[in-house]
Amino acid sequence: TVMEFDKNSNRLRPLSSSQKKIKGKNVRDKTIKFDYEKGMCTFEYRKNGVLEKEKTISIPSKLIPEDAVTAFHNFCNGVYGEVNEGSRYNIKIMVKERPSDLSFEVCSTDGRKEFPLQENKEKSLCFVAKISLDPDIIESNKGEIFVCFSSDSTPLAVKVKDVIGYGDLYGHLTTK
């Protein structure tokens, strides 16, 4: 995702977002381009470099468009509000040809059970956020991602629940 800081809304906003999927010899690319002056969002779909489909839609007037990556950065930067246990933030994101729901929920201390090893390793573990989004976006049966954050909102580890064909996927920060 390519982003810029928007002074009017005091947050990051996407200029474009790209996704690449490689399956065997086929490469599928999806690119979303945001045109704020025209209030339009263009979706381009390519297979092996050849444009298969292009669709432009209007950005709903009351929507501040974001993609999942931009929403994640805005969450980490406190754009949606103060991070407190039990807080929930609902955001509309543009990842399909329509707005989709994404929510950040700051888990209680039992949310840490998703990261038992991380808690022992990291003294600065502060909170866990559960991100819920359309399961199709992350090719998951549940559409749930758990992120373990430090006290300065640095993501330390991530767990994507029930990815189709893989099960749970884990990742962690190796260097800061």
Side-chain angles (χ1 to χ4, degrees):
T1 298
V2 177
M3 298 173 248
E4 69 178 2
F5 183 76
D6 180 39
K7 293 176 189 172
N8 295 328
S9 62
N10 202 31
R11 66 193 320 147
L12 293 171
R13 67 180 187 179
L15 298 174
S16 66
S17 177
S18 299
Q19 178 182 14
K20 180 180 283 198
K21 291 183 183 180
I22 301 171
K23 201 173 204 178
K25 294 182 180 181
N26 290 320
V27 178
R28 294 196 173 273
D29 294 294
K30 177 172 91 173
T31 303
I32 306 169
K33 297 177 183 174
F34 298 86
D35 185 333
Y36 297 103
E37 287 182 18
K38 294 180 181 174
M40 306 298 278
C41 193
T42 301
F43 295 80
E44 295 177 352
Y45 303 89
R46 298 180 186 280
K47 182 177 180 183
N48 298 323
V50 178
L51 183 66
E52 287 190 320
K53 179 181 173 186
E54 182 177 78
K55 184 171 183 179
T56 301
I57 62 168
S58 294
I59 298 170
S61 61
K62 293 184 180 180
L63 179 71
I64 298 174
E66 297 184 73
D67 65 347
V69 174
T70 307
F72 180 78
H73 283 283
N74 282 332
F75 173 78
C76 292
N77 290 324
V79 168
Y80 308 121
E82 194 172 321
V83 175
N84 295 311
E85 185 176 306
S87 297
R88 184 179 178 94
Y89 309 96
N90 297 310
I91 298 116
K92 292 284 186 191
I93 59 171
M94 300 290 287
V95 290
K96 296 188 170 198
E97 295 170 8
R98 59 175 169 64
S100 282
D101 293 320
L102 179 144
S103 71
F104 291 98
E105 181 180 348
V106 180
C107 300
S108 63
T109 51
D110 39 304
R112 294 181 185 195
K113 71 181 184 285
E114 298 293 336
F115 300 97
L117 297 175
Q118 196 71 27
E119 188 163 14
N120 295 333
K121 206 165 74 171
E122 296 288 339
K123 301 294 182 222
S124 60
L125 171 63
C126 186
F127 66 95
V128 173
K130 176 183 173 184
I131 303 169
S132 301
L133 65 164
D134 183 336
D136 291 343
I137 295 170
I138 55 174
E139 297 184 9
S140 158
N141 289 317
K142 295 184 179 185
E144 294 179 349
I145 302 171
F146 289 86
V147 182
C148 171
F149 290 92
S150 68
S151 57
D152 67 352
S153 295
T154 300
L156 301 172
V158 64
K159 178 180 183 180
V160 183
K161 298 281 279 192
D162 205 12
V163 176
I164 297 169
Y166 296 98
D168 293 348
L169 297 180
Y170 299 86
H172 65 275
L173 180 68
T174 55
T175 57
K176 185 174 176 180

